[in-house]
Amino acid sequence: FQKHEFFVDMTCEGCSNAVTRVLHRLGGVQFDIDLPNKKVCIDSEHNVDILLETLKKTGKNASYLGEKSAQ
């Protein structure tokens, strides 16, 4: 799986819940939400465009930060 890092303009718990909801609906993803830094790290075989589209369904500003190398 690729690990992708995205910026999502999340300001509260409600925002991160919205992200969790849309990603669960998409399925086939594992993810970590870093609310203070407004980052979402996603492990998935979906391509970046699909993931970004999905994150934008939250109505939040979202952008792709790049691949995260496995540590």
Side-chain angles (χ1 to χ4, degrees), residues 1-55:
F1 281 177
Q2 276 321 119
K3 242 189 184 342
H4 298 294
E5 204 167 34
F6 294 88
F7 165 83
V8 182
D9 195 13
M10 302 174 286
T11 49
C12 65
E13 204 59 36
C15 301
S16 63
N17 289 343
V19 169
T20 300
R21 252 195 329 274
V22 295
L23 287 174
H24 276 309
R25 205 171 299 150
L26 177 65
V29 293
Q30 280 183 313
F31 57 94
D32 288 312
I33 295 175
D34 178 351
L35 189 54
N37 294 313
K38 303 185 176 191
K39 284 184 185 169
V40 181
C41 190
I42 306 177
D43 237 352
S44 174
E45 43 195 19
H46 293 295
N47 68 34
V48 171
D49 294 339
I50 289 174
L51 296 173
L52 193 53
E53 269 315 294
T54 302
L55 289 172

